[in-house]
Coordinates of all heavy atoms in Angstrom, one line a residue:
M22 N -58.1 -29.4 8.2 CA -57.1 -29.5 9.2 C -57.4 -28.3 10.2 O -57.8 -27.2 9.7 CB -55.7 -29.2 8.6 CG -54.9 -30.5 8.4 SD -53.2 -30.1 8.2 CE -52.9 -30.7 6.7
S23 N -57.1 -28.5 11.4 CA -57.3 -27.4 12.4 C -56.2 -26.4 12.3 O -55.1 -26.6 11.8 CB -57.5 -27.9 13.8 OG -56.2 -28.4 14.2
K24 N -56.5 -25.2 12.8 CA -55.4 -24.2 12.8 C -54.3 -24.5 13.6 O -53.1 -24.2 13.2 CB -56.1 -22.8 13.4 CG -56.3 -21.7 12.5 CD -56.9 -20.6 13.3 CE -56.8 -19.3 12.5 NZ -57.4 -18.2 13.1
T25 N -54.5 -25.2 14.7 CA -53.4 -25.5 15.6 C -52.5 -26.5 14.9 O -51.2 -26.4 15.0 CB -53.9 -26.1 16.9 OG1 -54.9 -25.3 17.5 CG2 -52.8 -26.4 17.9
L26 N -53.0 -27.5 14.1 CA -52.2 -28.5 13.4 C -51.4 -27.9 12.3 O -50.3 -28.1 12.2 CB -53.1 -29.6 12.9 CG -52.4 -30.8 12.2 CD1 -51.4 -31.4 13.2 CD2 -53.3 -31.8 11.7
K27 N -52.0 -26.9 11.6 CA -51.3 -26.1 10.6 C -50.1 -25.4 11.1 O -49.0 -25.4 10.6 CB -52.2 -25.3 9.8 CG -53.2 -25.9 8.9 CD -54.0 -24.9 8.1 CE -55.0 -25.6 7.2 NZ -55.9 -24.7 6.5
A28 N -50.3 -24.7 12.2 CA -49.3 -23.9 12.9 C -48.2 -24.9 13.4 O -47.0 -24.5 13.3 CB -49.9 -23.1 14.1
L29 N -48.6 -26.0 13.9 CA -47.5 -27.0 14.4 C -46.7 -27.5 13.3 O -45.5 -27.6 13.4 CB -48.2 -28.1 15.2 CG -47.3 -29.2 15.7 CD1 -46.4 -28.6 16.8 CD2 -48.1 -30.3 16.3
I30 N -47.4 -27.8 12.1 CA -46.6 -28.3 11.0 C -45.6 -27.2 10.5 O -44.5 -27.5 10.1 CB -47.6 -28.8 9.9 CG1 -48.2 -30.1 10.4 CG2 -46.9 -29.1 8.6 CD1 -49.4 -30.6 9.5
T31 N -46.2 -26.0 10.3 CA -45.4 -24.9 9.9 C -44.2 -24.7 10.7 O -43.0 -24.5 10.2 CB -46.2 -23.6 9.8 OG1 -47.3 -23.9 8.9 CG2 -45.4 -22.5 9.2
A32 N -44.4 -24.6 12.1 CA -43.2 -24.4 13.0 C -42.2 -25.6 12.9 O -41.1 -25.3 12.9 CB -43.8 -24.4 14.4
T33 N -42.7 -26.8 12.7 CA -41.8 -28.0 12.6 C -41.0 -27.8 11.3 O -39.8 -28.0 11.3 CB -42.6 -29.2 12.6 OG1 -43.4 -29.4 13.7 CG2 -41.7 -30.5 12.5
L34 N -41.6 -27.5 10.2 CA -40.9 -27.3 8.9 C -39.9 -26.1 9.0 O -38.7 -26.3 8.5 CB -41.9 -27.1 7.8 CG -42.7 -28.3 7.4 CD1 -43.7 -27.9 6.3 CD2 -41.8 -29.4 6.9
V35 N -40.2 -25.0 9.6 CA -39.3 -23.9 9.8 C -38.1 -24.4 10.7 O -36.9 -24.1 10.3 CB -40.0 -22.8 10.4 CG1 -39.0 -21.7 10.8 CG2 -40.9 -22.1 9.4
A36 N -38.3 -25.1 11.8 CA -37.3 -25.6 12.6 C -36.3 -26.5 11.9 O -35.1 -26.4 12.1 CB -37.9 -26.2 13.9
I37 N -36.9 -27.4 11.1 CA -36.1 -28.3 10.4 C -35.2 -27.6 9.3 O -34.1 -27.9 9.1 CB -36.9 -29.4 9.7 CG1 -37.5 -30.4 10.7 CG2 -36.1 -30.2 8.6 CD1 -38.6 -31.3 10.1
T38 N -35.8 -26.6 8.7 CA -35.1 -25.8 7.7 C -33.9 -25.1 8.2 O -32.8 -25.1 7.7 CB -36.1 -24.9 6.9 OG1 -37.1 -25.7 6.4 CG2 -35.3 -24.2 5.8
L39 N -34.2 -24.4 9.4 CA -33.2 -23.6 10.0 C -32.1 -24.4 10.8 O -31.0 -23.9 11.0 CB -33.8 -22.6 11.0 CG -34.7 -21.5 10.3 CD1 -35.3 -20.7 11.4 CD2 -33.9 -20.7 9.4
S40 N -32.4 -25.7 11.1 CA -31.4 -26.4 11.8 C -30.2 -26.8 10.9 O -29.1 -27.0 11.4 CB -32.0 -27.7 12.3 OG -32.3 -28.6 11.3
G41 N -30.4 -26.7 9.6 CA -29.2 -27.0 8.7 C -28.4 -25.7 8.3 O -27.4 -25.8 7.6
C42 N -28.8 -24.6 8.9 CA -28.1 -23.3 8.5 C -26.8 -23.2 9.4 O -26.8 -23.5 10.5 CB -29.0 -22.1 8.9 SG -30.4 -22.0 7.8
V43 N -25.8 -22.8 8.7 CA -24.5 -22.5 9.4 C -24.3 -21.1 9.4 O -24.3 -20.4 8.4 CB -23.3 -23.2 8.7 CG1 -22.0 -22.9 9.4 CG2 -23.5 -24.7 8.6
V44 N -24.1 -20.5 10.6 CA -23.9 -19.1 10.7 C -22.5 -18.8 11.0 O -21.9 -19.3 12.0 CB -24.8 -18.5 11.9 CG1 -24.5 -17.0 12.1 CG2 -26.3 -18.8 11.6
E45 N -21.8 -18.1 10.1 CA -20.4 -17.8 10.3 C -20.3 -16.4 10.6 O -20.9 -15.5 9.9 CB -19.7 -18.2 8.9 CG -18.2 -18.0 9.0 CD -17.4 -18.4 7.8 OE1 -17.8 -19.4 7.2 OE2 -16.5 -17.7 7.4
P46 N -19.5 -16.0 11.6 CA -19.4 -14.6 11.9 C -18.7 -13.9 10.8 O -17.8 -14.4 10.1 CB -18.5 -14.6 13.2 CG -17.8 -15.9 13.2 CD -18.7 -16.9 12.4
A47 N -19.1 -12.6 10.6 CA -18.5 -11.8 9.5 C -17.1 -11.4 9.9 O -16.7 -11.1 11.0 CB -19.3 -10.5 9.3
R48 N -16.2 -11.5 8.9 CA -14.8 -11.1 9.1 C -14.6 -9.6 9.0 O -15.3 -9.0 8.2 CB -13.9 -11.7 8.0 CG -13.7 -13.1 8.0 CD -12.7 -13.6 7.0 NE -12.6 -15.0 6.9 CZ -11.9 -15.7 6.1 NH1 -11.3 -15.0 5.1 NH2 -11.8 -17.0 6.1
P49 N -13.8 -9.1 9.9 CA -13.6 -7.6 9.8 C -12.7 -7.4 8.5 O -12.1 -8.3 8.0 CB -12.7 -7.3 11.0 CG -12.2 -8.6 11.5 CD -13.1 -9.6 11.0
H50 N -12.8 -6.2 8.0 CA -12.0 -5.9 6.8 C -10.5 -6.1 7.1 O -10.0 -5.9 8.2 CB -12.2 -4.4 6.4 CG -13.6 -4.2 5.9 ND1 -14.0 -4.6 4.7 CD2 -14.6 -3.4 6.5 CE1 -15.3 -4.3 4.5 NE2 -15.7 -3.5 5.6
R51 N -9.8 -6.5 6.0 CA -8.4 -6.7 6.1 C -7.7 -5.3 6.4 O -8.0 -4.4 5.7 CB -7.9 -7.3 4.8 CG -6.5 -7.7 4.8 CD -6.0 -8.3 3.5 NE -7.0 -9.2 3.0 CZ -6.8 -10.3 2.3 NH1 -5.6 -10.6 2.0 NH2 -7.8 -11.0 1.8
P52 N -6.8 -5.3 7.3 CA -6.0 -4.1 7.6 C -5.2 -3.7 6.4 O -4.8 -4.5 5.6 CB -5.2 -4.3 8.8 CG -5.6 -5.7 9.3 CD -6.4 -6.3 8.2
P53 N -4.8 -2.4 6.3 CA -3.9 -2.0 5.3 C -2.5 -2.8 5.5 O -2.1 -3.0 6.6 CB -3.7 -0.6 5.4 CG -4.2 -0.3 6.8 CD -5.1 -1.3 7.2
P54 N -1.8 -3.0 4.4 CA -0.6 -3.7 4.5 C 0.5 -3.0 5.2 O 0.5 -1.7 5.2 CB -0.1 -4.0 3.1 CG -1.0 -3.2 2.2 CD -2.2 -2.8 3.0
I55 N 1.3 -3.7 6.0 CA 2.4 -3.1 6.7 C 3.6 -2.7 5.7 O 3.9 -3.5 4.8 CB 3.0 -4.0 7.8 CG1 1.8 -4.2 8.8 CG2 4.2 -3.5 8.4 CD1 2.2 -5.3 9.9
V56 N 4.1 -1.6 5.8 CA 5.3 -1.3 4.9 C 6.5 -2.0 5.4 O 6.9 -1.9 6.5 CB 5.5 0.3 4.9 CG1 6.7 0.7 4.1 CG2 4.3 1.0 4.5
E57 N 7.1 -2.8 4.5 CA 8.3 -3.6 4.9 C 9.5 -3.0 4.1 O 9.4 -2.6 3.0 CB 8.1 -5.0 4.3 CG 7.0 -5.8 5.1 CD 6.9 -7.2 4.7 OE1 6.7 -7.5 3.4 OE2 7.2 -8.1 5.5
V58 N 10.6 -3.1 4.7 CA 11.8 -2.7 4.1 C 12.5 -4.0 3.6 O 12.7 -4.9 4.4 CB 12.8 -2.1 5.2 CG1 14.1 -1.8 4.5 CG2 12.2 -0.8 5.7
V59 N 12.6 -4.0 2.3 CA 13.1 -5.2 1.6 C 14.6 -5.3 1.9 O 15.4 -4.4 1.4 CB 12.7 -5.3 0.2 CG1 13.3 -6.5 -0.5 CG2 11.3 -5.1 -0.1
P60 N 15.1 -6.4 2.5 CA 16.6 -6.5 2.7 C 17.3 -6.9 1.4 O 16.6 -7.2 0.4 CB 16.6 -7.6 3.7 CG 15.4 -8.4 3.7 CD 14.3 -7.5 3.1
A61 N 18.5 -6.8 1.4 CA 19.3 -7.1 0.2 C 19.1 -8.6 -0.2 O 18.9 -9.4 0.6 CB 20.8 -6.8 0.4
M62 N 19.1 -8.8 -1.5 CA 18.9 -10.2 -2.0 C 20.1 -11.1 -1.5 O 21.3 -10.6 -1.6 CB 18.9 -10.1 -3.6 CG 18.6 -11.5 -4.2 SD 18.8 -11.4 -6.0 CE 17.8 -10.1 -6.5
P63 N 19.8 -12.2 -1.0 CA 20.8 -13.1 -0.5 C 21.8 -13.7 -1.5 O 22.9 -13.9 -1.2 CB 20.1 -14.2 0.3 CG 18.7 -14.2 -0.3 CD 18.4 -12.8 -0.8
A64 N 21.3 -13.9 -2.7 CA 22.1 -14.4 -3.8 C 21.3 -14.3 -5.1 O 20.1 -14.1 -5.0 CB 22.4 -15.9 -3.6
P65 N 21.9 -14.3 -6.2 CA 21.1 -14.3 -7.5 C 20.2 -15.5 -7.6 O 20.4 -16.6 -7.0 CB 22.2 -14.4 -8.6 CG 23.5 -14.0 -7.9 CD 23.3 -14.3 -6.5
G66 N 19.0 -15.3 -8.2 CA 18.1 -16.4 -8.3 C 17.1 -16.5 -7.2 O 16.3 -17.4 -7.1
Y67 N 17.0 -15.4 -6.5 CA 15.9 -15.3 -5.5 C 14.9 -14.1 -5.9 O 15.3 -13.2 -6.6 CB 16.5 -14.8 -4.1 CG 17.1 -16.0 -3.4 CD1 18.3 -16.5 -3.8 CD2 16.5 -16.6 -2.3 CE1 18.9 -17.6 -3.1 CE2 17.0 -17.7 -1.7 CZ 18.3 -18.2 -2.1 OH 18.8 -19.3 -1.4
H68 N 13.7 -14.2 -5.4 CA 12.7 -13.2 -5.6 C 12.0 -12.9 -4.3 O 11.9 -13.8 -3.5 CB 11.7 -13.5 -6.8 CG 10.7 -14.6 -6.5 ND1 11.1 -15.9 -6.5 CD2 9.5 -14.5 -6.0 CE1 10.0 -16.6 -6.1 NE2 9.0 -15.8 -5.8
W69 N 11.5 -11.7 -4.2 CA 10.9 -11.2 -2.9 C 9.4 -11.6 -2.9 O 8.7 -11.3 -3.8 CB 11.1 -9.8 -2.7 CG 10.4 -9.2 -1.5 CD1 9.3 -8.4 -1.4 CD2 10.9 -9.4 -0.1 NE1 9.0 -8.1 -0.1 CE2 9.9 -8.7 0.7 CE3 11.9 -10.0 0.4 CZ2 10.0 -8.6 2.1 CZ3 12.0 -10.0 1.8 CH2 11.1 -9.3 2.6
V70 N 9.0 -12.3 -1.8 CA 7.6 -12.5 -1.7 C 7.1 -11.6 -0.6 O 7.5 -11.6 0.5 CB 7.3 -14.0 -1.2 CG1 5.8 -14.3 -1.0 CG2 7.9 -15.0 -2.2
A71 N 6.2 -10.6 -1.0 CA 5.8 -9.6 -0.1 C 4.9 -10.2 1.1 O 4.3 -11.2 0.9 CB 4.9 -8.6 -1.0
G72 N 4.9 -9.5 2.2 CA 4.2 -9.9 3.3 C 2.7 -9.7 3.1 O 2.3 -8.8 2.2
H73 N 1.9 -10.3 3.7 CA 0.5 -10.2 3.5 C -0.3 -10.7 4.8 O 0.3 -11.3 5.7 CB 0.0 -11.2 2.4 CG 0.3 -12.6 2.6 ND1 1.6 -13.1 2.4 CD2 -0.4 -13.6 3.0 CE1 1.6 -14.4 2.6 NE2 0.4 -14.7 3.0
Y74 N -1.6 -10.3 4.9 CA -2.3 -10.8 6.0 C -3.1 -12.1 5.7 O -3.4 -12.4 4.6 CB -3.5 -9.8 6.3 CG -3.0 -8.6 7.1 CD1 -2.7 -7.4 6.5 CD2 -2.8 -8.7 8.5 CE1 -2.2 -6.3 7.2 CE2 -2.3 -7.6 9.2 CZ -2.0 -6.4 8.6 OH -1.5 -5.4 9.3
R75 N -3.1 -13.0 6.7 CA -3.8 -14.3 6.5 C -4.8 -14.4 7.6 O -4.6 -14.0 8.8 CB -2.8 -15.4 6.6 CG -3.4 -16.8 6.6 CD -2.4 -17.9 6.6 NE -1.7 -17.8 5.3 CZ -0.5 -18.3 5.1 NH1 0.2 -18.9 6.1 NH2 0.1 -18.2 4.0
W76 N -6.0 -14.9 7.3 CA -7.0 -15.1 8.3 C -6.7 -16.4 9.1 O -6.5 -17.4 8.6 CB -8.4 -15.3 7.7 CG -9.5 -15.4 8.6 CD1 -10.2 -16.6 9.0 CD2 -10.1 -14.4 9.4 NE1 -11.1 -16.3 9.9 CE2 -11.1 -14.9 10.2 CE3 -9.9 -13.0 9.5 CZ2 -11.9 -14.2 11.1 CZ3 -10.6 -12.3 10.4 CH2 -11.6 -12.9 11.1
A77 N -6.4 -16.2 10.4 CA -6.1 -17.3 11.3 C -6.9 -17.3 12.6 O -6.9 -16.3 13.2 CB -4.6 -17.3 11.6
G78 N -7.7 -18.4 12.8 CA -8.5 -18.4 13.9 C -9.7 -17.5 13.8 O -10.6 -17.7 13.1
N79 N -9.6 -16.3 14.5 CA -10.6 -15.3 14.4 C -10.1 -14.0 14.2 O -10.7 -12.9 14.6 CB -11.6 -15.4 15.5 CG -10.9 -15.1 16.9 OD1 -9.6 -14.9 16.9 ND2 -11.6 -15.0 17.9
Q80 N -9.0 -13.8 13.6 CA -8.3 -12.5 13.4 C -7.3 -12.5 12.2 O -6.9 -13.6 11.8 CB -7.6 -12.0 14.6 CG -6.4 -12.8 15.0 CD -5.8 -12.4 16.3 OE1 -6.2 -11.4 16.8 NE2 -4.8 -13.1 16.8
W81 N -7.0 -11.4 11.7 CA -6.0 -11.3 10.6 C -4.7 -11.3 11.3 O -4.4 -10.6 12.3 CB -6.2 -9.9 9.8 CG -7.5 -9.9 9.0 CD1 -8.6 -9.2 9.2 CD2 -7.6 -10.6 7.8 NE1 -9.4 -9.5 8.2 CE2 -8.9 -10.4 7.3 CE3 -6.8 -11.5 7.0 CZ2 -9.5 -10.9 6.2 CZ3 -7.4 -12.1 5.9 CH2 -8.7 -11.7 5.4
R82 N -3.8 -12.1 10.7 CA -2.4 -12.1 11.2 C -1.4 -11.8 10.1 O -1.6 -12.3 9.0 CB -2.0 -13.5 11.8 CG -2.9 -13.8 12.9 CD -2.4 -14.9 13.8 NE -3.4 -15.1 14.9 CZ -3.1 -15.8 15.9 NH1 -2.0 -16.5 15.9 NH2 -4.0 -16.0 16.8
W83 N -0.4 -11.0 10.4 CA 0.6 -10.7 9.4 C 1.5 -11.7 9.2 O 2.1 -12.3 10.1 CB 1.3 -9.3 9.8 CG 2.3 -8.9 8.8 CD1 3.6 -8.9 9.0 CD2 2.0 -8.3 7.5 NE1 4.3 -8.4 7.9 CE2 3.3 -8.0 7.0 CE3 0.9 -8.0 6.9 CZ2 3.3 -7.4 5.8 CZ3 1.0 -7.3 5.6 CH2 2.3 -7.1 5.1
V84 N 1.8 -12.1 7.9 CA 2.8 -13.0 7.5 C 3.9 -12.2 6.8 O 3.7 -11.5 5.8 CB 2.3 -14.0 6.4 CG1 3.4 -15.0 6.0 CG2 1.1 -14.8 7.1
P85 N 5.1 -12.1 7.4 CA 6.2 -11.2 6.9 C 6.7 -11.7 5.5 O 6.6 -12.9 5.2 CB 7.2 -11.3 7.9 CG 6.9 -12.4 8.8 CD 5.5 -12.7 8.7
G86 N 7.2 -10.7 4.8 CA 7.8 -11.0 3.5 C 9.1 -11.8 3.6 O 9.7 -11.8 4.7
H87 N 9.6 -12.5 2.6 CA 10.7 -13.3 2.6 C 11.2 -13.5 1.2 O 10.6 -13.3 0.2 CB 10.5 -14.6 3.3 CG 9.4 -15.4 2.6 ND1 8.1 -15.3 2.8 CD2 9.5 -16.4 1.7 CE1 7.4 -16.1 2.1 NE2 8.2 -16.8 1.4
W88 N 12.5 -13.8 1.2 CA 13.1 -14.2 -0.1 C 13.0 -15.6 -0.4 O 13.1 -16.4 0.5 CB 14.7 -13.9 -0.1 CG 15.0 -12.4 -0.1 CD1 15.4 -11.6 1.0 CD2 15.0 -11.6 -1.2 NE1 15.6 -10.4 0.6 CE2 15.3 -10.3 -0.8 CE3 14.7 -11.7 -2.6 CZ2 15.4 -9.2 -1.7 CZ3 14.8 -10.7 -3.4 CH2 15.1 -9.4 -3.0
R89 N 12.6 -16.0 -1.7 CA 12.4 -17.3 -2.1 C 13.2 -17.7 -3.3 O 13.2 -16.8 -4.3 CB 10.9 -17.6 -2.3 CG 10.7 -19.0 -2.8 CD 9.2 -19.3 -2.8 NE 8.7 -19.4 -1.5 CZ 7.4 -19.5 -1.2 NH1 6.5 -19.4 -2.1 NH2 7.1 -19.7 0.0
A90 N 13.8 -18.8 -3.3 CA 14.6 -19.2 -4.5 C 13.7 -19.6 -5.6 O 12.6 -20.2 -5.3 CB 15.6 -20.3 -4.2
Y91 N 14.0 -19.2 -6.9 CA 13.1 -19.8 -8.0 C 14.0 -20.5 -9.0 O 15.1 -20.6 -9.0 CB 12.4 -18.7 -8.7 CG 13.1 -17.5 -9.3 CD1 13.6 -17.5 -10.5 CD2 13.4 -16.4 -8.5 CE1 14.3 -16.5 -11.1 CE2 14.2 -15.4 -9.0 CZ 14.6 -15.4 -10.3 OH 15.3 -14.4 -10.8

């Protein structure tokens, strides 16, 4: 095989291999949690679900805490 043909086959195989790669941007570190003031319990039988960050779109978004019945 000629040198040119080997180079062409190698370039083709590399292109095919890299075409299946998915490049996802790196997420920035999660910010520190926001300090929330927990309001009074609305009624017995509820527990506090603390606020947290959720990755949405391309940024961290704060989801505030809330009371949930159990």
Side-chain angles (χ1 to χ4, degrees):
M22 262 200 240
S23 70
K24 242 179 171 179
T25 308
L26 185 57
K27 286 182 183 179
L29 180 61
I30 291 172
T31 303
T33 303
L34 290 174
V35 168
I37 290 170
T38 303
L39 292 178
S40 68
C42 294
V43 176
V44 178
E45 184 176 320
R48 289 183 184 176
H50 292 289
R51 187 181 316 216
I55 295 174
V56 177
E57 293 184 301
V58 176
V59 180
M62 185 186 307
Y67 281 77
H68 70 278
W69 177 252
V70 178
H73 60 277
Y74 281 101
R75 176 176 293 157
W76 184 255
N79 61 354
Q80 65 183 356
W81 290 107
R82 297 198 181 190
W83 180 253
V84 178
H87 59 278
W88 286 103
R89 177 173 288 169
Y91 59 89

